[in-house]
Amino acid sequence: MSHDETFTEFLTRRGVSRRSFLAFCTATAAALALPAAAARELAANLAVARRPSVIWLSFQECTGCTESLTRSGEPTVEALILDHLSLDYHHTLQAASGEAAEQARRDAMAANWGSYVLVVDGSIPTADGGVWSTIAGVTNLEMLRETIEGAALVIAVGTCAAFGGIPAAAAVTAPNINQSGARSVGELMDAGEIVTRTLINVPGCPPVPDVISGTIAYFLAYGTAPELDDQRRPIPYYGTTVHEQCPRIWHYRNGEFAFAFDDERAQQGYCLYLLGCKGPETRNACPRVRWNLNTSFPMHSGHGCLGCSEAAFWDRALAVDGSGFTGSCFYPDVRP
């Protein structure tokens, strides 16, 4: 597929109707909190957008972010936005391997120097010279340092790339020690260990696919990032807490709480705050932009928020005393 093909031409070739495309633009404009008239502008700009070259680097991660993006229930416009990208290098999805894969990355960099989008998922180990994770004999830090030089935009997908995530959490056998020296893309930029480029953090474990596709759609349409908060997250998606959007919030305001995950109060949809829900201190769009074709999010299935889109979420969830870890405040000992 040519890089000169527009998004409209691509959708037409894939059998997507203009009605579906406009419905996606309207929903995305609303999710991005754009004015009503902006939906038409978003559609007009996105329709003629050319395919950007994307290099996707996966470092210390579980592949959950890629799984989240590729597990669509049907070919949606959101999924096709990802197909529209020219994924010139992706460890998990590409057919090439070994030296051929690395040559593909270098070729894409040379052909699109200064204009390609760099997507990173996973944290970057820096301890012991970075040997905790290597690809083709190259440490993650060295590969990131080389690849980010020619990038126009960097998107850190998932909490590991945005904040260090679970790889940066304290180990159970060595509390308070980040053994691999895992760091986020933003930390390395701020420390001057890699060059600074426009960076968008899209945290979550995993992030909601529509949040990723909406952020990319905004970049395709306007050539820039949406408004970001002080942690480089798109404000339209991370501007409010999960608690403020939760369908159980009325029970919270009425002082109605569940005391166990399977008690009668939980079954009646009472608030899960006393069971460790982190909704009040977590900013994310998952209650509004749900998983699995907008079907549900954790509170719908009776589980509290883990706070996965916030920095150090895993360590915050663990209760520590002088002897080490004593349990998880995801599941505190709650009694009526």
Side-chain angles (χ1 to χ4, degrees):
M1 185 163 53
S2 169
H3 280 222
D4 293 331
E5 185 178 44
T6 66
F7 191 49
T8 295
E9 293 166 344
F10 171 72
L11 292 180
T12 301
R13 187 164 55 79
R14 296 293 294 268
V16 176
S17 69
R18 180 165 175 76
R19 179 186 294 272
S20 297
F21 172 64
L22 293 177
F24 164 77
C25 291
T26 300
T28 300
L32 288 165
L34 299 176
R40 291 194 295 273
E41 182 182 64
L42 177 70
N45 291 348
L46 189 56
V48 297
R50 306 287 175 177
R51 300 178 67 218
S53 174
V54 174
I55 297 175
W56 187 305
L57 301 179
S58 298
F59 296 140
Q60 283 193 137
E61 44 83 38
C62 66
T63 317
C65 296
T66 296
E67 287 284 333
S68 177
L69 287 171
T70 57
R71 296 295 181 186
S72 297
E74 60 185 43
T76 62
V77 176
E78 293 90 328
L80 290 174
I81 274 190
L82 300 172
D83 288 350
H84 178 65
L85 303 175
S86 176
L87 265 178
D88 291 319
Y89 181 88
H90 189 301
H91 297 160
T92 305
L93 302 180
Q94 66 191 6
S97 62
E99 182 54 36
E102 295 312 304
Q103 189 58 50
R105 177 175 63 86
R106 297 189 190 100
D107 290 346
M109 290 172 58
N112 302 281
W113 189 263
S115 63
Y116 59 81
V117 176
L118 174 61
V119 178
V120 179
D121 70 316
S123 62
I124 302 94
T126 59
D128 304 317
V131 296
W132 285 71
S133 177
T134 63
I135 299 168
V138 179
T139 68
N140 294 169
L141 179 57
E142 290 173 338
M143 184 171 288
L144 175 61
R145 189 175 282 149
E146 175 189 0
T147 311
I148 200 172
E149 287 281 350
L153 173 74
V154 183
I155 303 176
V157 171
T159 298
C160 295
F163 301 129
I166 291 177
V172 173
T173 55
N176 305 318
I177 295 178
N178 173 358
Q179 292 183 310
S180 68
R183 301 172 76 180
S184 69
V185 177
E187 283 181 295
L188 294 171
M189 278 190 188
D190 294 341
E193 297 192 29
I194 58 176
V195 298
T196 297
R197 295 287 182 268
T198 300
L199 170 64
I200 305 175
N201 283 333
V202 184
C205 191
V208 181
D210 304 60
V211 173
I212 302 173
S213 63
T215 301
I216 294 173
Y218 189 95
F219 174 73
L220 290 176
Y222 297 103
T224 186
E227 186 179 4
L228 305 178
D229 67 10
D230 60 356
Q231 298 189 53
R232 299 182 171 111
R233 300 176 296 191
I235 289 178
Y237 293 119
Y238 297 92
T240 55
T241 66
V242 171
H243 179 68
E244 292 171 299
Q245 306 165 77
C246 181
R248 298 174 185 250
I249 192 171
W250 300 108
H251 293 291
Y252 174 87
R253 291 172 178 169
N254 291 333
E256 299 169 343
F257 299 96
F259 299 119
F261 285 110
D262 58 351
D263 70 7
E264 185 176 345
R265 288 167 167 261
Q267 293 170 15
Q268 292 177 359
Y270 281 19
C271 179
L272 303 172
Y273 181 69
L274 296 183
L275 295 172
C277 179
K278 300 294 185 294
E281 54 196 84
T282 303
R283 294 181 178 275
N284 205 339
C286 47
R288 177 165 47 95
V289 187
R290 307 163 186 163
W291 277 270
N292 301 321
L293 302 179
N294 200 34
T295 301
S296 66
F297 78 114
M299 268 70 101
H300 278 155
S301 57
H303 198 290
C305 171
L306 299 179
C308 71
S309 59
E310 297 294 330
F313 89 93
W314 196 254
D315 285 340
R316 288 191 311 150
L318 298 174
V320 182
D321 64 15
S323 63
F325 293 101
T326 59
S328 168
C329 57
F330 285 148
Y331 313 108
D333 184 17
V334 175
R335 292 184 174 80

